Each structure stands twice: as structure tokens, then as C-alpha cells.
């Protein structure tokens, strides 16, 4: 297995497949993919801002002239860091799951721009918003939703390459798509895989996410391009699934002992994951699991969970890192 470098920019996977990586993979620093065959191109995800997406498209066009025209785009899910550059490929067929299309406009650029402008008045939340989003320029974003949606599976062609799209959500979000290129043994996972970073369970149930990992593990793939972090392989997918199993089991222990979400999140040892970014997401994940244990059907409002993670970051994670 090749040891993939984790540097900003385009990485040639071979045979017309590319990964575009944005270290360090933390909040908003997402990956994308490009598939080229002959004159046809398929882009997997756009990026968080128009500027980042424009830079990426320019670099893709330099590497593969066919990318001057992107024929198809797959949005793996509706998180902003995978869709807010869509306007630059608005003439393409934009493909997503129905769940992704449904929540495409649930988080708007105005919201993050407003929070950034008010960050000084927002206390701990404001500090966290600055921590996560200060590097990004959110101006000029025009939401550009999918033009083609599917419920479970869709096979699309890029030239002679078959690309199988599997909706494995709701898991990370309401609709999470894996893009598998069987002929090249490559899979683009979106945020079903975070490499060297804590995932965040916005929707769940976690069982769907664990099944999604099993689905990847059952495929004949050599290269796994995650939604965040370095390019990897199935060995890491196994480790990542182990994290989900572990967080679920630890949350169940805390729940059964009557601990609050906060106290359980404080109790969970992250010794096996101490290099992973964004450890405040553990609290969000405990909240998501408690909702499952309580059988609360509705997905939660995102903002209160985000605010709780902000506080957890300041009061628990930062002191640990400095300690
Ligand atoms: Zn993401």
C-alpha cells in the first residue's frame, strides 16, 4: 500500500482518478475527488467556499484538460464544506441522495457570516466559530442544489468507467453517498470516513454508519479517499469502525449509569485516538447516541449541539491539550 502524502492539492491516484486534499482536515477543510475518462469528467464534491473551489478547479484543469468541463458532480452529503462551491459547476448534472437534497438549504452562508460578524458578542460560541471558520471567505456563495436525486443506489458512467453511488444514510447526515469506482478499486467516501479526525454524528443512527463501514470493507477496493484527512485504505476503515463501536459502548455505559452527556463525554478515554483532530465532537456523538438510547425520533437542531461542543472544546479539550 502506497504511503499517501498529506499535502494540499491534487493527488494522482492513477488511471484518471484524483483526490484533492485540504489539510489539516479539521472543521471545513474537506477533500474532493475527480474522475476523468477520455473527454468525460465527474467531480466528487465541491469545497467550502467559492475561492477554494475555484482554485481546485483551476488545478484540476491544469492536470487534466478534460476537466475544463465538468460533466457530472456528485455531492456526497449536504454539509456546507462539500456543497458551497457548486455554483462554479452549475451547468453540470449535480447528483445527490434525496436526503442530501432535502437538507441542502438547512444551513445557509448568511448564518455563518452573521455568526462571524457577531462573534465577539457570542461568548464561547463566538470563540469557537472563530476557531473553526476564521480562515474562510464565505462571500458570494449562491446555493446551487442537486439536479438529479436518488434514494438507494445509482450507477453513472464517466466515459467507460462505471461509478456506483450508494446512499448509506442517514448516518453522518440525512443522506450520505459513497462513490465507488470498481474498475479502479477506488472509493470516495465523503464524510462516512474521517481520517485522523473525530467524526460527528449529526443524524445517525450509528448502526447505519457501522453498516456503511462494513459495506466499504466488503468491496474490492485498494484506495479510500475520505471526506477529511489523508488518502487511506481498508485497514483504516476497520480502525474507524472500531471508534464508532467504542463510542457507542462507552456512551451506553454512561447512559445506563445515569450520567449526563457532558459527564460521559468527559469520562471517555481517547487514548487510542489522541492524534485525531476535533475531539470536542465526542460530546456531539454522545448527545446523538443518548437520543438513540432514549428513542427520540427527531434529528436535533444543529446549533445547540454545536454550542455544546464549543463549550466542551474550551473547558475540556483545550486544557487537556495544554496539560
Ligand atoms: Zn465534511
Amino acid at each position: 500500500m502506497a504511503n499517501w502524502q498529506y499535502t494540499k492539492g491534487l493527488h494522482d491516484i492513477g488511471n484518471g482518478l484524483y483526490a484533492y486534499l485540504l489539510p489539516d482536515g479539521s472543521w471545513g477543510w474537506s477533500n474532493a475527488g475527480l474522475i476523468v475518462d477520455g473527454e468525460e469528467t465527474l467531480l466528487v464534491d465541491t469545497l467550502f467556499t467559492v475561492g477554494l473551489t475555484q482554485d481546485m478547479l483551476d488545478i484540476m484543469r491544469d492536470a487534466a484538460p478534460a476537466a475544463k468541463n465538468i460533466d457530472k458532480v456528485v455531492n456526497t452529503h449536504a454539509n456546507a464544506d462539500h456543497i458551497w462551491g457548486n455554483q462554479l459547476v452549475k451547468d453540470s448534472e449535480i447528483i445527490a441522495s434525496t436526503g442530501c437534497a432535502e437538507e441542502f438549504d438547512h444551513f445557509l452562508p448568511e448564518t455563518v457570516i452573521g455568526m462571524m460578524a457577531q462573534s465577539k458578542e457570542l461568548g464561547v460560541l463566538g470563540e469557537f466559530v472563530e476557531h473553526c471558520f476564521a480562515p474562510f471567505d464565505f462571500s458570494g456563495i449562491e446555493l446551487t442544489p442537486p439536479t438529479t436525486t436518488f434514494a438507494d443506489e445509482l450507477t453513472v458512467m464517466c466515459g467507460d468507467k462505471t461509478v456506483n453511488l450508494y446512499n448509506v444514510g442517514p448516518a453522518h447526515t440525512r443522506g450520505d453517498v459513497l462513490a465507488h469506482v470498481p474498475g479502479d478499486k477506488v472509493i470516495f467516501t465523503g464524510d462516512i470516513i474521517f481520517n485522523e479526525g473525530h467524526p460527528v454524528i449529526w443524524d445517525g443512527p450509528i448502526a447505519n454508519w457501522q453498516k456503511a463501514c462494513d459495506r466499504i470493507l466488503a468491496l474490492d477496493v485498494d484506495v479510500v479517499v475520505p471526506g477529511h484527512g489523508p488518502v487511506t485504505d481498508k485497514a483504516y476503515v476497520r480502525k474507524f469502525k472500531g471508534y464508532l463501536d467504542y463510542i457507542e459502548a462507552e456512551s451506553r455505559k454512561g447512559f445506563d449509569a445515569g450520567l449526563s452527556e457532558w459527564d460521559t463525554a468527559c469520562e471517555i478515554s481517547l487514548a487510542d485516538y489522541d492524534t485525531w483532530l476535533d475531539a470536542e465532537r465526542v460530546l456531539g456523538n454522545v448527545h446523538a447516541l443518548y437520543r438513540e438510547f432514549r428513542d427520540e425520533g427527531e434529528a436535533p437542531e444543529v446549533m445547540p449541539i454545536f454550542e455544546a461542543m464549543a463549550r466542551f472544546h474550551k473547558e475540556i479539550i483545550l486544557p487537556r491539550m495544554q496539560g
Side-chain angles (χ1 to χ4, degrees):
M1 181 71 234
N3 192 10
W4 293 95
Q5 277 199 327
Y6 189 38
T7 51
K8 181 182 174 182
L10 197 64
H11 294 251
D12 190 348
I13 298 171
N15 204 29
L17 274 63
Y18 301 85
Y20 189 84
L21 310 179
L22 287 182
D24 60 359
S26 179
W27 293 99
W29 297 106
S30 52
N31 299 332
L34 176 68
I35 301 169
V36 182
D37 194 42
E39 285 306 304
E40 288 197 44
T41 53
L42 184 153
L43 179 69
V44 180
D45 281 337
T46 58
L47 302 174
F48 205 6
T49 70
V50 176
L52 286 171
T53 304
Q54 185 64 62
D55 288 349
M56 172 177 79
L57 290 172
D58 289 345
I59 289 167
M60 286 176 168
R61 283 159 189 161
D62 284 345
K68 192 155 59 71
N69 180 43
I70 300 288
D71 297 290
K72 296 184 174 91
V73 177
V74 173
N75 285 137
T76 58
H77 62 293
N79 279 0
D81 52 337
H82 301 262
I83 62 171
W84 276 2
N86 274 13
Q87 73 206 65
L88 295 178
V89 286
K90 64 177 188 312
D91 296 328
S92 316
E93 180 184 11
I94 302 178
I95 304 164
S97 69
T98 44
C100 171
E102 283 163 14
E103 60 182 4
F104 206 80
D105 60 357
H106 284 196
F107 186 71
L108 297 171
E110 300 89 277
T111 306
V112 68
I113 290 170
M115 285 195 298
M116 292 289 291
Q118 283 190 310
S119 65
K120 295 287 175 286
E121 293 103 77
L122 290 175
V124 177
L125 175 63
E127 287 170 33
F128 191 63
V129 166
E130 288 277 343
H131 160 78
C132 296
F133 303 130
F136 300 99
D137 173 6
F138 297 107
S139 55
I141 295 166
E142 291 161 25
L143 276 200
T144 307
T147 57
T148 301
T149 60
F150 67 99
D152 298 319
E153 296 189 15
L154 182 69
T155 295
V156 297
M157 300 302 292
C158 177
D160 290 330
K161 289 184 192 293
T162 298
V163 183
N164 295 322
L165 305 177
Y166 302 122
N167 178 12
V168 293
H172 169 59
T173 64
R174 192 180 297 183
D176 302 288
V177 168
L178 307 173
H180 177 218
V181 190
D184 295 305
K185 300 188 179 185
V186 173
I187 192 162
F188 300 90
T189 67
D191 286 0
I192 286 298
I193 301 295
F194 287 75
N195 191 3
E196 288 287 313
H198 290 261
V200 57
I201 307 170
W202 293 121
D203 272 56
I206 197 168
N208 282 352
W209 205 330
Q210 290 154 328
K211 272 188 239 159
C213 293
D214 286 335
R215 190 141 185 191
I216 298 168
L217 291 169
L219 295 171
D220 183 16
V221 294
D222 293 332
V223 177
V224 174
V225 181
H228 295 257
V231 176
T232 188
D233 56 20
K234 289 209 286 193
Y236 179 79
V237 175
R238 251 173 242 117
K239 175 173 180 172
F240 183 83
K241 191 193 172 203
Y243 171 95
L244 297 176
D245 296 344
Y246 172 70
I247 293 291
E248 181 184 24
E250 293 297 301
S251 297
R252 174 54 83 175
K253 270 190 231 162
F255 182 80
D256 289 345
L259 296 185
S260 68
E261 288 92 336
W262 183 278
D263 288 343
T264 291
C266 290
E267 290 278 305
I268 296 176
S269 165
L270 298 178
D272 289 346
Y273 308 98
D274 62 349
T275 60
W276 288 21
L277 299 173
D278 307 323
E280 62 275 8
R281 292 174 181 168
V282 167
L283 179 66
N285 294 339
V286 174
H287 271 277
L289 287 161
Y290 271 40
R291 286 194 304 276
E292 280 189 37
F293 300 153
R294 292 194 195 103
D295 246 337
E296 288 173 14
E298 285 291 291
E301 291 285 322
V302 165
M303 277 321 292
I305 300 293
F306 191 72
E307 196 159 355
M309 288 193 280
R311 200 157 69 81
F312 197 71
H313 177 257
K314 177 168 181 153
E315 294 179 18
I316 306 297
I317 301 302
L318 279 181
R320 260 188 216 168
M321 287 164 66
Q322 287 152 2

